[in-house]
Amino acid sequence: MKHHRLSLRTKDSITGFLFCFPAIVGMAVFFVIPFCITLRMSVSENMGSSTFVGLKNYADVFASSAFRLAAENTFRFFGTALPCIFLLSLGIALLLHRNLKKYALFRTVFVFPLVLPVSSVVLFFQIVFGDLGILNRFLESLGAPAQDWMGEHAFVVLLILYLWKNTGYNIVLFLAALNSIPKEYYEAADIDGAGGFTKVTRLTLPLIAPHMLFILVISIVNLFKSFREAYILFGDHPDRSIYMIQHFINNNFINLNYIRLSVGAVLVFLVIFALVGLLLGFRAKGEHDA
Amino acid sequence: MLKQTISTILLAAMLTTGLTACGTGETATDTASANPSDSAQTTTDSTAEAAETVPENESVPLTKADYPDFVLPEATDTLTVYSTEMLGFTLNPALDIFRELYPEMEIISKTMTEEEYETIIRTEIPAGRGPDLLFSYGTDLPDVYKTMSSGVFLDLNPYFLYDEEFNPDDYFTGMLDSGLYGRERFLVPVSCCLPLLTTSAEVLKEEEIAPDSFSTIEGLLAACETYKANHPDRTVFADNGYITGFNLLKMLYEKCGIQLIDYRNSTVTMDYDSLKTIADIAKLHYTAGEQNKTGRITYMDIPKHQALFNGDLTSMWTLFMIEHYNVVCTNEENHLVYTFPDINGGSTAQIMTFAAVSSNTENALNAWRLIKILLSEEIQCGTSETLGNLTIASPVLKEGLRKYISMQAERAFYGTYELSEETMNEFCALAEQIDHAVLAPPILVRYFQMEMMPYVQGDRSFDDCYENLRNTIELYKDE
């Protein structure tokens, strides 16, 4: 009789699968299955019904002015906050990378907001931006009128909150990426007479491009996470300028309208899926071209 | 290349699923200038679309012809109900009667804590599961009108029409019809609460306030202003230790019949003048640092003229109401009681408990039978909960009052005090003035309190607060 032995490659695959199995099970139980249930709910007549209604629920949600406002604000916040944090954290990382003497100190200072408790962050922002806050007091001392920071300028406050809290983390990631570039490349560039700008644009940025993708994805995650502070700071129905998709989803949860909540969640999934797929596709294409 | 593409897609899907879970999972729990063109728009949604199929004239009474195909469902042999200890005071006697009438039925009755009950009805009801009959306090659901519009409750109109044993004329129409959502009847109120203003004739005389001057909220505001002008250091309402400006906003919202949203047409119905009047009343009552104030003014201080009105604006048949009457009369003053004016110049009761039938139930007939028992005279005039609040069954109103007084008289601080027949008739006449009843959604009450409190405290103008509230309600109704 012949003994069929597994090839080494198959054995490696099985071993790899077994190592991944707990994570796959966890992913399935806590993410994939609930998401499939959510998807089914989004095309059902109501919660207890299995009647398929097609895209009627989606049409209802798109017809809702609250959803349209939320979507508009979310895209606007994405479009503003992502470039800001990217450029800000990259710029600071490049500056820090040039002079490493105070590196550890600055890294701690910039990362500190990320580890602060949410309540502390909210309290701080209320103290600074509240109607009777430090900023308004300062403006009044200069003879300027007090501003409605939590209402009229809520978008700016939320943007500052997001940048203040998350820039440090991106700086650390960028610094790690910059440190991975061999010094010899810069020395060679110096020999070739490359200036600072040329070194950054022709050397640094292309070499850290793979890391930038990861940082971009992390920034998107943190953008969604900023809803936590926003919710505590501005409430469940904030000023119209910062009413976002997460508010829409969360408020429908409070109102027990799980169908609309499901639709909102699926739409968010689709948008982020497209975005991340696009980024990964660019990366794959770039590697292929290389 | 194909492998790379597939792996890219899979990786993107996994990342996205994880991102979506990360970003939206950690929400805090309990825990704008409006565009005039947006606020004027009527948003169409599924609720409004359903309204298109409803006859235009909703005031025309329904008849059997509106439900020509309806047949009372066949009897089944089970009934599932949930309850808490407090709700059990009414539900358990009703279930006992149900068992006597239908001994062959299997009743699955679960009693749970208040927190468990709230969690269950907030999860199982929207999921289309849960009990066959939901018997609940009006405040257990965050917004019962939104819940009604989601289709989780059964329309009970055909049961009202086709069941020969049930006579709607035995009930206060204004209260019974408060369960209507358009022309569909999703709720049946079991008990209501009539808001009252109580004072004494001598207090009014001393403050030079005409006794019949506060049948409207504008008149009430004027009376409060007069009292406050005479006594700037006193509170308008006897605070009973808990009626702060913040709490008074809630009470006024509930008692004045405010409705911020027309759910059927999905429009915001905020009346600026009415809301300002109500906020001004709360503002007159508010005292800076009231939450840290020691000592309190109670109904016992009304004869001493330390406040204008009793602060407990709740039920007609509560202990406080009877105690207040006792205290005033014991001090040889003339007790006065009025229905609290609503924003339309009438009287609005508040639904305290209601019954609703799940639209997915297979035991609809049994659930309806239990509702009839809850509305029967034995229950309406027989349990401490329905007696403590206002019965909706008109024939037993006086009997219920008599029964409640005899129950509470032994507990009165000032000994027993019997109400004369004339006084009881006066009290019953107040209940008969009710125009309608409403159920104030706790979530809207909270928004009202949060947005109006800065005005009450003097930190913001009313216009700013009104605009913020309008922004909030506009967003809320469209969600």
Side-chain angles (χ1 to χ4, degrees), chain B residues 136-156:
Chain B
S136 177
Y137 287 112
T139 52
D140 281 344
L141 290 169
D143 189 337
V144 72
Y145 298 105
K146 279 207 172 190
T147 306
M148 281 197 277
S149 69
S150 66
V152 296
F153 295 141
L154 187 67
D155 181 10
L156 295 171

Side-chain angles (χ1 to χ4, degrees), chain A residues 9 27 31-32 35 46-49 56 60 63-69 131 148 217 220-221 224-225 227-228 231-232 236-241 243 246-258 260 265 268-270 272-274 276-277 280-281 284 287-288, chain B residues 1 3-4 8-9 11-24 26-35 38 41 43-46 49 121-123 126-128 141-143 146-147 150-151 359-360 443 446-447 451 460 471-472 474-479:
Chain A
R9 190 171 178 178
M27 190 81 176
F31 293 131
V32 177
F35 181 75
N46 57 49
M47 280 286 293
S49 165
K56 179 180 175 295
D60 287 343
S64 161
S65 61
F67 177 80
R68 290 199 300 272
L69 175 70
D131 285 345
D148 182 14
V217 170
I220 293 173
V221 172
F224 275 98
K225 280 187 174 176
F227 168 72
R228 187 176 47 187
Y231 184 85
I232 299 173
D236 48 16
H237 286 94
D239 186 79
R240 289 177 74 90
S241 61
Y243 179 80
Q246 295 100 315
H247 290 100
F248 179 85
I249 290 172
N250 199 61
N251 291 339
N252 275 292
F253 173 75
I254 293 171
N255 289 328
L256 314 180
N257 196 334
Y258 299 143
R260 285 199 159 200
V268 168
F269 168 83
L270 289 174
I272 299 176
F273 181 81
V276 174
L280 292 175
E287 285 174 354
H288 175 73
Chain B
M1 186 60 189
K3 272 189 187 174
Q4 276 185 336
T8 300
I9 291 169
L11 190 56
M14 286 175 65
L15 271 171
T16 309
T17 313
L19 284 174
T20 312
C22 280
T24 58
E26 295 181 38
T27 55
T29 53
D30 292 34
T31 93
S33 82
N35 184 335
D38 281 344
Q41 257 179 346
T43 305
T44 56
D45 58 10
S46 58
E49 284 174 8
I121 66 170
R122 285 178 186 224
T123 52
L141 290 169
D143 189 337
K146 279 207 172 190
T147 306
S150 66
S359 59
N360 292 318
I443 198 166
R446 182 169 67 88
Y447 291 152
E451 298 297 350
R460 274 196 155 173
N471 287 339
T472 300
E474 287 276 3
L475 282 172
Y476 174 81
K477 70 139 173 86
D478 285 333
E479 284 173 341

